[in-house]
Amino acid sequence: MVFQDSYAVTLAAALLVVALSYHLVLYPLCISPLAKVPNAHWSSPLSSLWILVTRYRGQELHTVRQAHERLGPIVRLGPQDISISCFEDGIRTVYHGGFDKPPWFSFFNYYGSENAFCSLTKESHSTHRRRIAAVYTKSALSKSPQLAAVTETILLAGLVPRMENDILTSQQTDLLELSYSMCLDLVNAYLFGQSNGSRFLTKGQDIKSFLEHYEHRYCPESFWPQELPRFTRVLERVGVRLLPKGASTSKKWLESWMMAMCKAADATMRRAEKSTLANAADFPTVYASVRGATDQDSSHLDAHSKQSEVASELFDHMASSREVLGLVLAYALYYLSQKPTAQRRLREEIAFAAPEMHRPSSSNSSNLPSAATLDKLPYLSAIICESLRMRPNSTPLPRITPANASVRLAGIEGIPPGVRVNAFQWFVHRDPKKWDRVDEWIPERWLDGDGHLLKGSGESQLWGFCSGPRMCAGSNLSQYRQLLHFDPLTGRK
């Protein structure tokens, strides 16, 4: 009897070992459809530990780029985790296919509410997209009197005097802080109305304090809730916090700062319903659109929940002015500062479009060239394209393969459901098969022999705002702002 019991235990243990060996070793190494994908690290099929450690150390972009250089356009990072670097048959399939987002993006919600950026499913994203689409079309931006007014006032009554004062007082100008200040003020003025927006450029608010809270919010330890959200929540339940206390404090500070602008915009809308605003630039164009759409599509929510939805959405728009617009503009100016010949060529081109620039006057005509005019200047457009190419977002923008079907990526058939797919903009923008001297800033690469902007390159060469149904809704606004920012920054001698 004892022998039989011992035999049964031994058999059960053996079967368990076989099952675990199959599930943890044999299947991921040899049988899984991902077994056909080259491994970035020998442990990639067996464990996510290697890629998690790489991400925690902030070395993912560099490490994965080296793996692609060795192994080709698709590599395996973990048991259910891959990276692709090719646009055709890779990035286009994922992003034009509208693949859902993983929980990695949930870190970017605010006030406990989703926004377009952190919405995980196609259905949720469509709802958020409909709320904002109308105010970010090229037509809406070019025809908006409010946007034209706030742009002129902030650039010519804010930026130019700030720069002139720095020159007269021999103060050093922190170009990055100046770029952040200008972009945040401009975007917030369009979102909330000129009188309700931020005041960083005129030093009415402290940009250093804002940036300090922003950096604390997006600290390196945010790795934990992004990459291991369940593990992080379990530890929090037992009193172990992986995020520093300052991260939570800074998030609350930023949310309070943003909510104050939302409430001010709400008050302006109520005044506008009763009488005409003294200054049309004070009307909160984007806030009004998002608020109205939210009232319609979320009538089941109470007033507080609706306000949280609106504030979360607009927080994302504000953040993009720092993450994309402000950073790329600062780099563009830095690159320009290294090339006097490029500065002269740009000045000559802008001077042709705007022979003289003045501060805002009492006339109704704009003192800035229109965005449509600037959009036709090939060298200016080439500078923006090249700066976006050189300094794209450095995060992997992951997606999840569809739950109901396998897909083909980078020549590999049968990529199964539920696989995380990572794609860095860096891989498209620094592809040596598409570009010569990929690590050099050369605006002329975007021009033909006659100095005209090249046509037809498209997103396969410049993927600065992603693509497909989840393409950045603010891409037109970012390009509009960058075009106009160069006028006062480089058009004055």
Side-chain angles (χ1 to χ4, degrees):
M1 191 68 168
V2 173
F3 174 78
Q4 290 178 339
D5 290 343
S6 175
Y7 176 79
V9 170
T10 303
L11 180 61
L15 290 174
L16 179 61
V17 169
V18 170
L20 289 175
S21 299
Y22 174 83
H23 179 72
L24 298 177
V25 180
L26 183 61
Y27 180 81
L29 275 175
C30 306
I31 301 174
S32 167
L34 294 184
K36 296 177 286 186
V37 179
N39 298 317
H41 187 262
W42 67 265
S43 67
S44 295
L46 306 174
S47 168
S48 296
L49 181 61
W50 169 77
I51 190 57
L52 287 173
V53 170
T54 301
R55 287 169 179 157
Y56 179 77
R57 291 175 174 172
Q59 299 172 347
E60 181 178 10
L61 174 58
H62 175 72
T63 302
V64 176
R65 184 184 184 186
Q66 288 184 327
H68 280 295
E69 290 173 352
R70 295 194 327 267
L71 303 169
I74 181 169
V75 295
R76 192 176 185 181
L77 308 178
Q80 291 287 100
D81 198 341
I82 63 175
S83 173
I84 52 176
S85 63
C86 58
F87 191 83
E88 302 298 337
D89 195 31
I91 291 171
R92 181 190 294 278
T93 301
V94 173
Y95 290 85
H96 284 253
F99 287 20
D100 285 343
K101 293 181 175 181
W104 184 91
F105 285 90
S106 296
F107 181 74
F108 299 96
N109 76 52
Y110 294 91
Y111 313 96
S113 299
E114 276 192 344
N115 52 59
F117 183 69
C118 71
S119 55
L120 303 186
T121 66
K122 288 183 286 187
E123 295 74 20
S124 176
H125 181 265
S126 295
T127 298
H128 290 283
R129 184 89 175 195
R130 284 193 297 269
R131 295 174 180 174
I132 61 178
V135 292
Y136 285 123
T137 65
K138 265 196 171 183
S139 175
L141 295 173
S142 62
K143 295 177 181 178
S144 171
Q146 189 254 357
L147 180 57
V150 300
T151 300
E152 182 170 349
T153 300
I154 290 175
L155 291 184
L156 299 187
L159 174 64
V160 172
R162 166 82 174 270
M163 295 175 67
E164 288 178 341
N165 180 69
D166 286 352
I167 293 171
L168 289 173
T169 57
S170 299
Q171 292 186 39
Q172 288 188 340
T173 300
D174 187 315
L175 187 59
L176 185 58
E177 285 189 2
L178 181 70
S179 180
Y180 284 152
S181 297
M182 177 172 53
C183 295
L184 284 163
D185 284 357
L186 281 165
V187 169
N188 286 329
Y190 185 48
L191 297 179
F192 302 108
Q194 184 170 293
S195 63
N196 305 318
S198 53
R199 298 283 189 278
F200 295 126
L201 199 56
T202 57
K203 300 185 179 180
Q205 292 176 313
D206 183 12
I207 187 64
K208 292 183 184 294
S209 178
F210 169 84
L211 292 174
E212 181 179 345
H213 282 294
Y214 196 92
E215 294 301 325
H216 286 168
R217 158 61 178 155
Y218 297 105
C219 60
E221 291 84 357
S222 61
F223 160 87
W224 297 105
Q226 285 189 277
E227 297 292 346
L228 298 167
R230 292 180 182 175
F231 176 72
T232 304
R233 287 194 295 270
V234 168
L235 289 184
E236 286 179 348
R237 291 193 187 104
V238 297
V240 178
R241 294 186 59 84
L242 297 175
L243 282 175
K245 185 178 179 180
S248 177
T249 301
S250 290
K251 181 180 181 182
K252 291 177 181 177
W253 186 94
L254 291 167
E255 288 181 334
S256 177
W257 173 76
M258 173 62 63
M259 187 59 77
M261 288 191 286
C262 288
K263 291 179 178 178
D266 218 34
T268 299
M269 286 178 59
R270 290 195 296 271
R271 291 199 304 272
E273 291 172 357
K274 298 177 181 178
S275 61
T276 303
L277 294 175
N279 184 359
D282 287 339
F283 187 75
T285 300
V286 180
Y287 178 87
S289 176
V290 176
R291 183 59 192 258
T294 303
D295 286 340
Q296 289 184 353
D297 64 40
S298 301
S299 57
H300 60 287
L301 297 179
D302 59 33
H304 174 76
S305 298
K306 288 179 183 178
Q307 184 74 300
S308 296
E309 290 256 327
V310 174
S312 180
E313 189 63 61
L314 298 184
F315 195 109
D316 175 49
H317 299 198
M318 177 280 299
S320 69
S321 68
R322 187 268 182 205
E323 292 290 340
V324 180
L325 184 55
L327 192 59
V328 171
L329 177 63
Y331 269 114
L333 294 171
Y334 167 76
Y335 290 132
L336 267 173
S337 72
Q338 309 299 305
K339 289 198 172 185
T341 55
Q343 295 176 42
R344 286 193 295 270
R345 182 170 179 177
L346 180 59
R347 284 198 185 104
E348 291 171 359
E349 192 172 72
I350 290 178
F352 177 78
E356 294 183 3
M357 290 170 48
H358 307 281
R359 294 202 179 95
S361 65
S362 58
S363 67
N364 292 325
S365 61
S366 174
N367 294 300
L368 285 175
S370 68
T373 298
L374 292 173
D375 199 28
K376 296 176 183 177
L377 301 178
Y379 198 64
L380 176 56
S381 296
I383 285 174
I384 292 172
C385 288
E386 182 66 353
S387 300
L388 283 168
R389 185 191 73 82
M390 285 288 289
R391 291 295 168 181
N393 192 304
S394 59
T395 55
L397 304 174
R399 296 292 189 267
I400 298 294
T401 53
N404 57 353
S406 61
V407 295
R408 169 193 166 98
L409 293 174
I412 302 293
E413 300 282 357
I415 303 294
V419 173
R420 170 169 161 166
V421 184
N422 306 275
F424 284 93
Q425 293 167 320
W426 201 278
F427 297 154
V428 177
H429 293 181
R430 304 274 183 123
D431 185 351
K433 296 178 182 177
K434 296 176 182 175
W435 306 106
D436 293 326
R437 297 154 66 187
V438 295
D439 296 324
E440 296 182 37
W441 187 78
I442 308 173
E444 291 77 12
R445 71 171 83 243
W446 297 92
L447 304 174
D448 63 21
D450 297 321
H452 299 136
L453 196 66
L454 290 169
K455 302 294 183 182
S457 56
E459 59 199 21
S460 65
Q461 290 187 319
L462 188 63
W463 195 52
F465 300 99
C466 291
S467 54
R470 290 199 173 209
M471 179 180 180
C472 175
S475 59
N476 289 326
L477 179 62
S478 293
Q479 292 168 339
Y480 172 93
R481 294 299 197 193
Q482 288 176 42
L483 288 167
L484 284 171
H485 288 168
F486 277 99
D487 197 336
L489 285 169
T490 61
R492 298 170 70 90
K493 296 185 179 180

